[in-house]
Structures are given as structure tokens and as C-alpha cells.
């Protein structure tokens, strides 16, 4: 057996079937319960079914690309996959909806793939077990239609008990012992012991096994079915309570949303007031008026990184700009104590973006008077943008900004015709809310976009993401998920940023050059080391 | 037998080995070519894990194995025992 390292820090786990509306939902839930009961019987773990996206283990049926970077391949070969314990999608088990699943536990493969077996295997991953090379083990990578109910092969049982310990044995007056059967092969009868109930049977036979005497077994099975019905009723009541809580949360969210909308309206009202004030007062400060730019005639013909329609594909409101200085609505960020929303080399100078501001760092270090508002340089950016998600300079030396679900392409400081456009025009999924980082990887000079746990590569010929993407961010070993920014520096190396730190990426080893992130402010903003900073180099 | 083997191209074998962690997934991005020895080593590991005769070649047993239905999770992180000047894919040395 293999313990993959990650494990749950608790033993009472919840699980939820995502596709409640699918045809065999009830059978699937029964089978998942049975598979979990096998792990439960052989460890300290307990499982409770809920219907919530907060459950530890989400059971999902999906097909092909289902957004986790590990596409299914249709009928055959890959049947399912699961994620080791952890937050977010950690613990989740995904099954290929295009497989022919047999939901009645049967040994006959001609009717389809035995779902119970596959569920037992995948839920082993959800609990922290890796693949085993023991071909009798449940965790053997290749599908086997073995009878599993209740019993667990030693390899798996020892593995799960190493992770979560064995069930406490509640010793009643009857001490079960291991016996060796008299058949030709001496086999150790594994203890199928039900600690939650003390054996109650007429003959008080000292080494009794509840499922050993047929008559007693029938009575036991009726009691068990009654208990199962009671548990089912309890689960139904729990689901009803959960649905009520969900409705309550929904009402609360709507109320908060209305509150925020009213606040925004009041804010806009105040802005208009201030604007009217400004227009009345004489202009005392020297306003920086932009040098008039001649729209380069080739701009329209120059290739843009995505489809470049001559018309505006989307009826975005044409924005009228004033040359008036904008009073920033938010305080300027402290360049020695901030994370970066975006970072990029532009015209061989380093631009770092935070909120509505940017810093500009040239050969002689940080320019004076920075940070300044980003819209002083790129006035065509929306007035009410909160922050820049990502920036990079494309192969045509245009500057591409990603803000929310849209992106803007600039020829220097002039917005190229036809922009902004939605992320979907790059071939990104409509569900994507934003891009975290955009960079050209020095190793192969290709353009990459990242978001959350996934990344895409741009096909420079079509300007769209390549077909066999997205992939999982774990490729960039050591960087992790949900990064803030990334870029290629003048030294050809690629750097990834998250919170106050950054990693240099080692292209040859395809992993970060140092496991611990270094302090961004010191390297990129030339901030002096504060007394309690440890010098990374000396470390 | 021969048609099983012929139905499995080296490309398919290569992709299978990357998909299930017998070769570094980074090859997907870098297209880093592997030496014959590295490929043989990866195939041998797969054969060992799959409990079939270890030959290091794409023989009929291997061709059959890689077409069997299975779990999509990788077969845990083997220490890719490439020579030091090549890519080192894990702190662990080969067991």
C-alpha cells in the first residue's frame, strides 16, 4: 500500500453526491454508502451523507474536460479519478459519466463496470491511499471486479489503519478471537465486528460472530434493515434541515447584495457631487494633459493576440475621457508591504500593479513620483476598475491587460480597435471569472495564462488557448494554486508571486529554484531589510 | 499478439507513461526527449507495478495492460532515476 502523505485531520467525514438529479442517483448513493462502510468498518473513520457543496468528499459524475485539468477519455481506459485529502477539491471523487456503470453489485462484467468496486478504490484515494502493486488490493490501479462487501484485503486494511487507526473494539462479555478455518488453506478469519452494538444472541457462545448463525443472521438482517430505515429517515430529516439552512443563507446573501448595491449608488452619488464641485472651482493644480497620440494606421491591420474584428464585437459603451487629474479613491499602497496584482516587463522596464496604481522601475531603480494611477498611462481602462488581474507584453509588443472577465490590448498607450473583449474570445471557459497571471515562459517562449488551480497555453498562430488545456498548476512544481502574478525578467528567468513573496522558477528542473518564497519588496522594490527580516541569502 | 503490439504506438506508450507518473509530466510542456534507457526504465516500472513480466519492451502483455480500464490517478511518484545531468524529479533516490 502507499500513503500519499495527505490525510484528513478528523475522522468524521461528510460526503455529498453532486448530481442528485441523475437517473441512478439513489442507487449511486446506496453504493457509495456501502463503499464507505467498508472503509468505516476497517478504521476509526465515520461517514455522514449531506447534500452540500461544503461536504468533505464530493462525488461527481462528469465527462471529458470537467474543469479540473484531468479530462476523462470517454468509454474505456480511465474510469474515474479522485483527489487526496485536502481543502477545496481535496477528497473529491469523479467518475466518467460516459462509462457503462453497473450499479447492482454483480460479478458479471458483461453488464458494465461494477460501480461499487471503482467507488471503493476512488474513495481510498479520497482518504489518502495511493496505488498498490498488490494485484489483490482494492488500491491496485487496474479495474478488477472482486467481491468486496464488508471484507477488505489486508494490504488496504493495514494501509487505512496506519492512516486513521483501527476501530476501537467494544469488548462485551464475548471476546471474539481469530480462528483458522479447517479448510486446506489456513486463513485468518478477519474480525467483522460491530462495536456499536453488543452481540445479543440466545446461546452466548463465546466466539460468536453476528453473521455466523443463519437463523440469527436473518433476525440480525431484519434489525439491520430497520436500523438502515431509521438512519435513512434521519438522513432525510438532516437533508431537509440542510435545505432550510441553504434557503436561509440564500435570503441573507440577497439582502447583503441589495445593501451593497445601495452603498455603491450612494458612492456614485457622492462622486457626481464631487465632480460637480470640481467643475465649479478654478483649476489650481497643473493638470497633466496627455500628448495627443496619432492613431497608428497600421494598428488596425497589425495582428492582435486574439481574433481581431474590425468592428466591436460587443456593444460596449464608448467611453468619453476627460483630461482631468483623477483623485484616487483609494490610498496609495506601500511599496514595501504589499502583494502584487500583476507584474510585467514593458519596453524593458518593470511595471508592478497593485489596485488602481502602478510602480515603474527602470535601469536606475524606482522612478520618482510613483506609484501613480494606472489610468494615467492607459486612460482607456475602465474608470471603475478595482485592480488589474494580469498584464503581459505579447509577441507583437502590444500590452495586454486582464481585468475580470475582459481583456484589453494596447498599442503602447492606445487601445487597439475592437477591444476590450471577453475572456471567452480567447477560448477560455465562460465560467472563468478572472485570470491570475499571464506570462511568456523563457524556456519555450510560449504564452501562459493561469487561474486558480489551472493553466492554459496560448497558440500564437490563432491567438487562442491550445486545445489540450487547461492543465493542473501542479506542473509548476512548488508554486501552488491561486497565484497573484508571474513574469519573465530581463535575465530570461520566470518568477511567480503570491502574497508578499516570490519564487524563481528553475526551467531545467521544472520546479521552483527555492522551496521557500523570498520577500518581493526587497528584490523588486529595493526596500531595505527591516530588523526582523531574515536575509534569505544568508539563510 | 502482434496486432495488440502494433496497435500500441510508441507515442501512446509515451503518453501513458507520462499520464500515470512513470515519466515526468513536464515533458508535456517541454517536449524533453528521453533516452532509450529512460524509456526502457519507465516501461519496466510499469510492468513491475502491473505484475506482468518485466522486459522493458512494448511487448504484447504490456500492450494489453495499457488498454485495460483503470483509475486515472497516477501510480504514485516514482523517483525518476535519470542520470544527474538530466532532470531530477524528486528528492528521493531510486530504491
Amino acid at each position: 500500500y502507499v500513503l500519499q502523505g495527505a490525510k484528513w485531520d478528523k475522522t468524521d467525514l461528510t460526503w455529498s453526491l453532486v448530481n442528485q438529479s441523475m437517473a441512478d442517483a439513489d442507487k449511486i448513493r446506496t453504493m457509495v454508502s456501502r463503499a464507505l462502510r467498508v472503509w468505516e468498518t476497517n478504521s476509526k473513520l465515520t461517514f455522514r451523507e449531506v447534500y452540500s457543496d461544503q461536504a468533505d468528499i464530493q462525488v461527481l459524475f462528469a465527462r471529458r474536460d470537467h474543469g479540473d485539468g484531468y479530462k476523462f477519455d470517454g468509454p474505456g481506459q480511465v474510469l474515474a479519478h479522485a483527489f487526496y485529502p485536502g481543502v477545496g477539491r481535496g477528497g473529491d471523487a469523479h467518475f466518467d459519466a460516459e462509462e457503462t456503470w453497473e450499479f447492482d453489485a454483480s460479478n458479471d462484467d458483461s453488464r458494465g463496470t461494477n460501480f461499487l468496486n471503482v467507488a471503493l478504490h476512488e474513495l481510498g484515494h479520497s482518504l489518502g491511499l495511493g496505488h498498490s502493486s498488490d494485484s489483490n488490493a482494492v488500491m491496485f490501479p487496474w479495474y478488477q471486479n472482486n467481491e468486496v462487501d464488508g471484507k477488505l484485503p489486508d494490504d488496504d486494511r493495514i494501509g487505512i489503519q496506519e492512516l486513521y487507526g483501527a476501530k476501537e473494539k467494544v469488548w462485551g462479555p464475548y471476546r471474539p478471537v481469530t480462528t483458522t478455518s479447517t479448510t486446506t488453506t489456513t486463513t485468518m478469519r478477519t474480525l467483522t465486528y460491530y462495536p456499536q452494538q453488543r452481540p445479543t444472541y440466545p446461546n452466548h457462545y463465546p466466539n460468536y460472530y453476528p453473521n455466523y448463525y443463519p437463523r440469527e443472521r436473518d433476525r440480525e438482517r431484519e434489525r439491520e434493515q430497520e436500523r438502515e430505515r431509521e438512519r435513512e429517515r434521519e438522513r432525510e430529516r438532516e437533508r431537509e434541515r440542510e435545505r432550510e439552512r441553504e434557503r436561509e443563507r440564500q435570503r441573507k446573501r440577497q439582502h447583503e447584495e441589495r445593501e451593497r448595491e445601495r452603498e455603491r449608488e450612494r458612492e456614485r452619488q457622492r462622486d457626481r457631487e464631487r465632480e460637480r464641485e470640481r467643475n465649479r472651482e478654478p483649476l489650481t493644480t497643473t493638470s497633466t494633459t496627455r500628448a495627443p497620440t496619432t492613431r497608428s494606421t497600421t494598428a488596425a491591420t497589425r495582428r492582435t493576440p486574439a481574433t481581431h474584428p474590425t468592428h466591436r464585437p460587443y456593444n460596449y459603451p464608448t467611453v468619453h475621457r476627460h483630461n482631468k487629474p483623477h483623485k484616487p479613491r483609494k490610498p496609495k499602497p506601500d511599496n514595501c508591504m504589499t502583494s502584487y496584482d500583476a507584474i510585467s516587463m514593458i519596453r524593458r522596464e518593470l511595471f508592478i500593479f497593485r489596485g488602481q496604481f502602478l510602480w515603474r522601475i527602470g535601469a536606475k531603480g524606482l522612478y520618482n513620483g510613483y506609484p501613480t494611477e494606472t489610468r494615467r498611462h492607459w486612460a482607456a481602462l475602465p474608470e471603475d476598475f478595482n485592480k488589474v488581474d494580469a498584464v503581459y507584453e505579447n509577441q507583437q509588443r502590444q500590452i495586454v491587460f486582464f481585468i475580470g472577465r475582459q481583456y484589453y490590448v494596447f498599442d503602447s498607450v492606445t487601445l487597439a480597435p475592437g477591444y476590450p473583449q471577453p475572456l471567452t474570445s480567447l477560448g477560455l471557459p465562460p465560467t472563468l471569472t478572472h485570470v491570475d497571471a499571464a506570462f511568456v515562459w523563457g524556456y519555450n517562449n510560449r504564452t501562459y495564462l493561469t487561474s486558480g488551480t489551472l493553466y492554459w497555453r496560448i497558440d500564437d498562430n490563432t491567438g487562442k488557448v491550445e486545445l489540450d488545456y487547461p492543465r493542473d498548476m501542479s506542473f509548476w512544481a512548488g508554486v501552488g494554486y491561486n497565484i497573484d502574478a508571474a513574469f519573465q525578467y530581463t535575465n530570461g528567468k520566470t518568477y511567480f508571486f503570491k502574497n508578499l513573496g516570490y519564487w524563481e522558477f528553475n526551467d531545467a528542473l521544472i520546479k521552483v529554484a527555492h522551496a521557500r518564497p523570498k520577500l518581493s519588496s526587497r528584490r523588486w522594490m529595493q526596500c531595505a531589510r527591516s530588523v526582523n527580516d531574515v536575509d534569505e541569502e544568508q539563510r | 499478439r502482434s496486432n495488440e503490439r502494433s496497435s500500441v504506438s510508441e507515442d501512446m506508450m509515451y503518453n501513458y507513461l507520462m499520464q500515470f507518473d512513470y515519466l515526468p509530466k513536464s515533458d508535456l510542456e517541454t517536449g524533453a526527449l528521453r533516452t532509450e534507457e529512460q524509456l526502457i526504465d519507465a516501461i519496466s516500472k510499469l510492468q513491475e507495478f502491473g505484475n506482468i513480466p518485466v522486459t522493458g519492451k512494448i511487448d504484447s502483455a504490456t500492450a494489453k495492460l495499457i488498454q485495460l480500464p483503470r483509475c486515472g490517478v497516477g501510480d504514485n511518484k516514482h523517483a525518476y532515476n535519470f542520470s544527474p545531468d538530466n532532470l531530477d524529479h524528486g528528492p528521493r533516490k531510486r530504491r
Side-chain angles (χ1 to χ4, degrees):
Chain A
Y1 61 89
V2 172
L3 309 183
Q4 269 296 335
K7 64 173 276 197
W8 295 103
D9 54 4
K10 55 186 178 182
T11 53
D12 55 328
L13 299 171
T14 55
W15 67 277
S16 172
L17 172 63
V18 176
N19 327 59
Q20 291 277 338
S21 56
M22 66 190 288
D24 296 302
D26 287 344
K27 283 185 181 175
I28 292 166
R29 288 176 34 238
T30 305
M31 285 297 159
V32 170
S33 298
R34 275 178 63 181
L36 288 171
R37 200 168 315 121
V38 173
W39 293 113
E40 186 173 81
T41 309
N42 289 277
S43 69
K44 284 196 172 79
L45 291 165
T46 60
F47 299 96
R48 185 165 48 87
E49 182 185 4
V50 295
Y51 179 53
S52 159
D53 60 3
Q54 301 303 311
D56 299 310
I57 297 174
Q58 301 285 334
V59 175
L60 170 74
F61 279 75
R63 61 189 66 229
R64 307 293 171 166
D65 178 3
H66 49 286
D68 63 6
Y70 299 94
K71 291 191 229 350
F72 280 134
D73 53 6
Q77 204 176 60
V78 175
L79 301 170
H81 58 229
F83 294 89
Y84 295 117
V87 295
R89 71 178 184 205
D92 293 0
H94 297 171
F95 297 86
D96 189 343
E98 292 184 84
E99 295 302 331
T100 306
W101 293 108
E102 171 52 50
F103 293 116
D104 301 317
S106 89
N107 293 346
D108 174 9
D109 269 347
S110 62
R111 292 165 43 190
T113 305
N114 182 322
F115 176 73
L116 178 61
N117 284 77
V118 178
L120 186 60
H121 175 103
E122 297 308 329
L123 293 165
H125 289 312
S126 305
L127 302 174
L129 290 179
H131 280 155
S132 164
S133 55
D134 174 347
S135 56
N136 299 312
V138 162
M139 296 313 292
F140 189 61
W142 287 273
Y143 169 69
Q144 308 180 92
N145 189 351
N146 296 341
E147 171 52 41
V148 290
D149 222 355
K151 295 183 299 300
L152 202 55
D154 287 350
D155 186 79
D156 307 292
R157 184 171 50 75
I158 297 167
I160 198 70
Q161 290 178 355
E162 188 166 329
L163 276 175
Y164 301 101
K167 261 282 186 262
E168 298 297 343
K169 288 179 180 54
V170 178
W171 298 110
Y174 321 98
R175 177 176 295 278
V177 290
T178 52
T179 61
T180 53
S181 67
T182 52
T183 53
T184 47
T185 56
T186 55
T187 56
M188 199 68 106
R189 180 181 295 284
T190 54
L191 284 177
T192 311
Y193 196 76
Y194 302 96
Q196 68 276 20
Q197 84 219 350
R198 296 213 331 193
T200 53
Y201 36 78
N203 54 8
H204 297 291
Y205 190 75
N207 59 350
Y208 165 85
Y209 291 101
N211 58 355
Y212 195 76
Y213 288 97
R215 209 163 9 83
E216 176 54 23
R217 192 166 47 195
D218 292 346
R219 275 202 292 280
E220 172 53 27
R221 181 176 294 118
E222 276 149 34
R223 283 196 292 271
E224 176 55 27
Q225 282 161 356
E226 181 42 39
R227 277 193 294 276
E228 182 56 31
R229 278 191 290 276
E230 179 46 35
R231 277 197 288 265
E232 185 51 35
R233 282 191 291 275
E234 173 49 30
R235 279 195 287 266
E236 188 46 42
R237 284 192 291 273
E238 169 61 25
R239 275 197 294 277
E240 187 42 45
R241 284 194 291 273
E242 183 55 34
R243 279 193 281 269
E244 184 44 41
R245 282 195 289 270
E246 183 55 32
R247 281 190 287 271
E248 183 51 33
R249 280 194 289 267
Q250 187 73 11
R251 280 191 289 273
K252 195 162 168 301
R253 273 196 291 265
Q254 282 159 358
H255 173 70
E256 283 166 1
E257 185 50 39
R258 279 194 295 275
E259 201 44 46
R260 271 197 294 273
E261 188 45 43
R262 276 195 285 274
E263 179 50 33
R264 276 196 289 268
E265 187 43 44
R266 281 193 289 271
E267 179 64 26
R268 279 194 284 270
Q269 189 57 27
R270 282 195 288 273
D271 273 356
R272 280 193 284 274
E273 281 305 311
R274 276 197 288 268
E275 197 63 28
R276 274 193 286 275
E277 276 308 304
R278 261 195 288 271
N279 291 345
R280 272 196 283 277
E281 75 191 13
L283 198 59
T284 51
T285 53
T286 50
S287 74
T288 49
T289 48
R290 268 184 306 112
T293 49
T294 50
R295 179 181 293 279
S296 57
T297 49
T298 54
T301 54
R302 192 179 307 153
R303 224 167 49 71
T304 50
T307 49
H308 37 282
T310 48
H311 63 286
R312 273 185 175 237
Y314 297 85
N315 53 352
Y316 287 93
T318 45
V319 186
H320 297 290
R321 294 270 160 246
H322 308 283
N323 272 346
K324 299 221 174 343
H326 293 271
K327 288 245 179 315
R329 288 190 293 280
K330 297 197 174 130
K332 293 189 175 182
D334 169 358
N335 51 321
C336 290
M337 182 50 78
T338 182
S339 60
Y340 303 153
D341 296 332
I343 181 169
S344 178
M345 292 307 293
I346 298 173
R347 306 300 186 258
R348 298 192 63 74
E349 287 190 325
L350 180 58
F351 282 73
I352 298 177
F353 299 83
R354 175 70 176 152
Q356 302 161 318
F357 297 91
L358 67 80
W359 290 272
R360 192 173 159 195
I361 296 140
K364 298 188 178 64
L366 188 58
Y367 276 77
N368 289 332
Y370 284 80
T372 184
E373 273 195 83
T374 302
R375 292 184 62 247
R376 275 187 191 286
H377 290 274
W378 290 282
L381 289 176
E383 198 159 346
D384 57 351
F385 83 92
N386 257 337
K387 71 184 187 84
V388 173
D389 290 323
V391 182
Y392 82 103
E393 190 174 51
N394 70 14
Q395 315 281 3
Q396 296 74 38
R397 293 174 57 71
Q398 291 170 310
I399 299 135
V400 184
F401 284 82
F402 292 87
I403 298 178
R405 292 175 187 265
Q406 294 184 320
Y407 71 102
Y408 300 70
V409 175
F410 285 87
D411 291 314
S412 189
V413 290
T414 309
L415 186 62
Y419 290 93
Q421 285 199 22
L423 297 179
T424 47
S425 71
L426 284 171
L428 292 168
T431 50
L432 199 69
T433 57
H434 71 285
V435 165
D436 285 333
F439 62 97
V440 176
W441 187 21
Y443 180 88
N444 57 12
N445 212 27
R446 302 300 293 276
T447 304
Y448 290 86
L449 306 177
T450 82
S451 182
T453 62
L454 303 173
Y455 75 95
W456 291 261
R457 189 165 78 177
I458 296 257
D459 178 335
D460 293 320
N461 301 317
T462 63
K464 288 176 177 286
V465 296
E466 294 193 11
L467 291 181
D468 51 348
Y469 287 80
R471 289 180 186 158
D472 191 86
M473 273 297 283
S474 55
F475 165 78
W476 306 93
V479 169
Y481 293 147
N482 303 305
I483 61 171
D484 290 337
F487 84 115
Q488 184 194 151
Y489 193 38
T490 49
N491 60 7
K493 289 176 188 267
T494 302
Y495 295 86
F496 292 88
F497 293 78
K498 183 160 186 175
N499 301 329
L500 300 177
Y502 73 92
W503 292 271
E504 176 186 316
F505 196 74
N506 182 320
D507 293 348
L509 297 181
I510 319 278
K511 64 180 189 178
V512 292
H514 44 87
R516 299 168 59 87
K518 296 180 179 178
L519 211 52
S520 301
S521 60
R522 295 207 38 240
R523 167 78 191 268
W524 306 104
M525 294 285 193
Q526 284 96 39
C527 294
R529 181 154 44 89
S530 64
V531 286
N532 57 0
D533 266 349
V534 175
D535 188 324
E536 293 299 333
E537 308 314 326
Q538 283 173 9
R539 185 200 288 273
Chain B
R1 276 177 176 279
S2 59
N3 70 3
E4 258 174 353
R5 195 178 332 175
S6 60
S7 69
V8 170
S9 68
E10 203 159 282
D11 248 10
M12 268 176 75
M13 192 72 227
Y14 200 42
N15 284 329
Y16 190 96
L17 293 167
M18 277 192 290
Q19 181 173 0
F20 297 110
D21 292 343
Y22 291 90
L23 282 174
K25 276 196 175 62
S26 54
D27 292 3
L28 282 170
E29 287 304 335
T30 59
L33 294 178
R34 297 278 157 218
T35 62
E36 186 66 20
E37 188 236 345
Q38 288 161 348
L39 212 47
I40 290 172
D41 186 63
I43 293 173
S44 304
K45 277 193 168 46
L46 168 67
Q47 291 166 334
E48 195 181 328
F49 214 84
N51 296 321
I52 60 174
V54 178
T55 63
K57 295 186 179 60
I58 307 178
D59 50 31
S60 53
T62 308
K64 189 162 178 290
L65 177 70
I66 69 170
Q67 299 182 64
L68 290 177
R70 60 160 290 158
C71 170
V73 175
D75 294 342
N76 79 67
K77 297 287 173 212
H78 280 273
Y80 304 107
N81 66 327
F82 301 144
S83 48
D85 57 323
N86 284 9
L87 301 178
D88 147 46
H89 268 277
R92 296 178 302 178
K93 290 294 162 264
R94 180 178 187 184
R95 280 175 290 189

